[in-house]
Amino acid sequence: MTDNEKNKPLEKKERMKIPRQKMPEQDAKERIRNFKEVPHGLTPELAMIEARRCLACPKPPCIGGCPVEVNIPEFIRLVTEGDFVAAARVIKRTNALPAICGRVCPQEEQCEKVCILTKKYNSVGIGNLERFVADFERERGEIEIPQLPPPTGKKVAIVGAGPAGLTVAADLAQMGHKVVIYEALHKAGGVLIYGIPEFRLPKAIVASEVDYLRKLGVEIYTSYVIGKLDTVDELFEQGFNAVFVGTGAGLPNFMQIDGENLNGIYSSNEFLTRSNLMAGYDFPNYDTPIFAGENVAVLGGGNTAMDSVRTSLRLGAMNAYIVYRRSRNEMPARKEEIHHAEQEGVQFMFLTNPIRYIGDDNGWVKGMECVKMELGEPDASGRRRPVEMKGSNFILPVDTVVVAVGNSSNPLIPQTTPGLKTNKWGNIEVDPKTQMTSRPGVFAGGDIVTGGATVILAAGAGKVAARAIHKYVMGIPFDEPAKEEAKVK
Amino acid sequence: MFRIVDKKELCEKIHRFRIEVPRLVEKAKAGQFVILRQHDRGERVPMSIGGLDKKNGLLTVVIQEVGKTSGSMNRMKTGDSFADVVGPLGMSSHVEKFGHCVCIGGGVGIPPIYPIAQALKEAGNQVTTIIGARSKSLLIYEEELTSASHRLLISTDDGSYGTHGFVTTVLQNLLDAGEKVDMVISIGPVPMMKAVVASTRLPKIKTFVSLNPIMVDGTGMCGACRVTVGGKTKFACVDGPDFDGHEVDFDEMTKRLKMYAKYEKIAYERFLHEGCRVADQIKQL
């Protein structure tokens, strides 16, 4: 494209004729031998072409599709003008984690789903553009710290440095409050650090976005387990005006079947934590070992299952299976992740469920007895319930199994905070308008409230909580619009 | 960073560290544990609490060199710092008035017996402690446990000190002599805990064991530390580390502890080799 063409204003029809730009990525054969990021990201050229596809709708539906209300048309317009840094700053007004969200948000279910182009043409690649401008700003070293309002003198404690907690922290810091984050692990980022593999979200990017929070004045204590060192009540005694709990869905579920404690059987949390947080794939340069044998079965059909199975390939598995009890249509994983896994040679065993493990004399798993399933009537989740087919049992030889069938809420905070209401799954109950719990001044959001969900829903809950916390600590009634909101409108 | 205020070699390959972690020490109770990480590339390893100096905010841990991480930690000096000391983790030991309590420790299971014996004594129990080692030179914590218990009994495998035999020999002698025992707590190598449980099964003595399986995060997240207790899967880091010894599947635990043996060997050999290389380089200077 020449400069002349770039600057030519386009008619709506011409815009719609531009095909959606494909993000260049590492070849599948190459990438299963390394942990480097799979997509390379858009080039400035590609980004500008992609941005020109946006129709700049007068009533843009995409903003409503974004849980953190990014002004999408405005940032895309700036991309068409080649002002990538300005575009990044538009996003950062409402989303402190753009390089992360640009990579791991399910955009196809949110902003891109409601894009006016989606039906007839492919939607604008909003996620890819978000990732591009955030990377551009960071790589150019142009990260700008916004001017902060004068301190309000109010202090807020945040429990858990995952997507929910980080979002609350960023928003409150920018309203002039003192924010302190307490994180149980030795690095901030929560699931972004321990759960999502390097090839999908490089850890340096998480570190950079966490560093941005520090520059906003947020204090972060790692290796600090709230509920063991300090309780929520003690945080109030120490002078905090509000507490936000974003401790996630930390407890791994197992299937409670015979032989589940054999060696070689991991929860996805352990498998991914060893590989990601502890860099086990780089053993012995890093001290934490991880085992992935030749035949690896991953149980489950979500993004965590895809992350686990693709990790196992990179650790050297010859056969990497996804064993899922429903069919492809019901898989909760993002299409892009399933597609990447297929390209990399993952073998999908649909309508298959394990019923017991078989061990060798040394206590290692050597096989998994499975049964074929068929889909019956819809269950409570609205998906058709899988039913066992009698006599369809078979044995799959495996030496590693990763159980990725979901997580339950971490009970530490509810157990140590009197009066905090939880539901039957142990999730903390909140008022969805404010994210406030049954304890005044205690707010919660993310997976500890919803059960296992997505990064961006956690961030969205964080945004709602931040506004409510602001009102709470400033003594503004919840039903009155806060000054900041008024300004934005 | 968490500073080592004092370090001492207790015997060959076993070192005692006092680390400055005031808030943790203020909160910690007997029977809980901590997770240590030496440096940025290091493992997270669970360690028993081997003493709590509440006045000075000092935590005691005792580390035995068995592999790369413990070997590397044991080469740290006074003034050095651990990258992370996380805790207190796990549930505290069951401390109430039982009557006559027998605390049994072996190897590096002896130090965590010390705060538990203290707590049981403070709760008004009669405390007998039995500790054992292969040989007299390898016995640790004799002084501490003398003060923490009403009676301290010792065994050595080679007969060089105390009763010739194992801690279970001493326990069996007590039981044979008709002593009334209301509760036993045992911490040490898995075969030792398994043997203690075998001795107390018939007389039906309530017996706790403190388990130290492989762990990563220590807060219930990873599920690495699962053990079968009474036919049910439990996470030692949040449900334990103490469990009813009569219910624990020790054989499964023994196998799970060997899961990374191959990797541990590679790392340790490389570590020892590198140590020699450094020593050679120093010699050449």
Side-chain angles (χ1 to χ4, degrees), chain A residues 116-423:
Chain A
I116 210 99
L117 289 179
T118 302
K119 267 192 188 160
K120 275 195 168 172
Y121 310 88
N122 279 319
S123 71
V124 176
I126 301 168
N128 292 350
L129 287 171
E130 178 181 32
R131 171 189 157 143
F132 167 76
V133 297
D135 287 355
F136 186 90
E137 187 199 27
R138 190 185 62 256
E139 282 159 14
R140 291 292 167 98
E142 301 226 24
I143 290 181
E144 184 195 61
I145 307 305
Q147 209 188 335
L148 297 173
T152 59
K154 305 293 179 189
K155 275 173 74 181
V156 181
I158 292 176
V159 187
L166 294 176
T167 304
V168 178
D171 284 12
L172 289 175
Q174 294 183 75
M175 295 174 195
H177 305 300
K178 175 77 207 154
V179 181
V180 182
I181 301 181
Y182 297 97
E183 165 58 43
L185 290 173
H186 57 263
K187 270 190 197 158
V191 72
L192 306 169
I193 284 282
Y194 76 75
I196 302 180
E198 185 75 12
F199 56 81
R200 207 148 73 78
L201 178 64
K203 299 298 154 269
I205 286 170
V206 182
S208 158
E209 298 204 334
V210 167
D211 194 46
Y212 177 70
L213 290 194
R214 288 203 178 92
K215 287 181 182 151
L216 291 175
V218 174
E219 259 179 71
I220 304 176
Y221 291 99
T222 52
S223 291
Y224 206 109
V225 187
I226 297 295
K228 289 287 183 185
L229 266 184
D230 297 323
T231 61
V232 168
D233 286 323
E234 282 165 333
L235 291 174
F236 283 111
E237 283 163 26
Q238 288 163 22
F240 285 102
N241 303 95
V243 176
F244 176 82
V245 180
T247 47
L251 297 190
N253 294 344
F254 286 92
M255 293 184 63
Q256 321 290 343
I257 56 179
D258 217 30
E260 208 156 29
N261 292 346
L262 288 165
N263 289 351
I265 302 177
Y266 286 104
S267 74
S268 53
N269 276 0
E270 181 184 358
F271 191 69
L272 292 172
T273 300
R274 280 181 182 272
S275 182
N276 300 326
L277 176 73
M278 308 310 295
Y281 62 83
D282 198 8
F283 178 88
N285 292 320
Y286 282 75
D287 292 341
T288 306
I290 182 167
F291 177 83
E294 291 194 351
N295 300 301
V296 182
V298 176
L299 315 181
N303 289 321
T304 308
M306 295 307 135
D307 285 344
S308 302
V309 79
R310 296 173 67 199
T311 296
S312 78
L313 278 173
R314 285 159 176 77
L315 291 170
M318 305 293 284
N319 291 298
Y321 308 100
I322 282 284
V323 176
Y324 181 55
R325 65 194 187 123
R326 303 186 203 244
S327 75
R328 172 183 289 265
N329 295 334
E330 290 84 24
M331 275 182 113
R334 289 183 71 187
K335 283 204 178 67
E336 185 188 326
E337 306 306 329
I338 299 170
H339 174 64
H340 277 147
E342 273 177 333
Q343 281 183 330
E344 291 168 9
V346 169
Q347 300 164 58
F348 289 82
M349 300 177 74
F350 295 113
L351 293 163
T352 306
N353 206 29
I355 53 171
R356 78 181 169 106
Y357 299 101
I358 300 148
D360 68 13
D361 295 341
N362 299 317
W364 278 84
V365 64
K366 64 174 184 182
M368 182 166 86
E369 184 171 345
C370 299
V371 60
K372 300 297 288 177
M373 313 292 280
E374 55 192 347
L375 294 178
E377 295 299 305
D379 63 11
S381 74
R383 297 176 297 180
R384 292 174 65 195
R385 183 195 297 275
V387 185
E388 277 189 17
M389 289 167 73
K390 286 244 160 64
S392 64
N393 302 36
F394 68 99
I395 288 168
L396 183 71
V398 288
D399 49 15
T400 309
V401 177
V402 181
V403 184
V405 296
N407 292 306
S408 306
S409 298
N410 191 312
L412 196 49
I413 298 292
Q415 273 170 6
T416 55
T417 312
L420 198 64
K421 265 195 203 150
T422 54
N423 66 15

Side-chain angles (χ1 to χ4, degrees), chain B residues 188-252:
Chain B
V190 176
M192 185 202 100
M193 293 192 285
K194 195 179 164 188
V196 166
V197 165
S199 316
T200 60
R201 193 178 302 273
L202 264 187
K204 289 190 178 156
I205 302 166
K206 184 84 186 157
T207 304
F208 294 99
V209 291
S210 177
L211 304 183
N212 190 10
I214 293 172
M215 231 174 243
V216 185
D217 71 295
T219 63
M221 190 191 84
C222 79
C225 64
R226 54 197 198 274
V227 287
T228 300
V229 182
K232 290 200 177 101
T233 294
K234 298 276 179 188
F235 291 177
C237 69
V238 287
D239 302 320
D242 291 3
F243 292 100
D244 180 343
H246 294 142
E247 301 268 310
V248 171
D249 184 339
F250 288 106
D251 295 339
E252 178 190 276

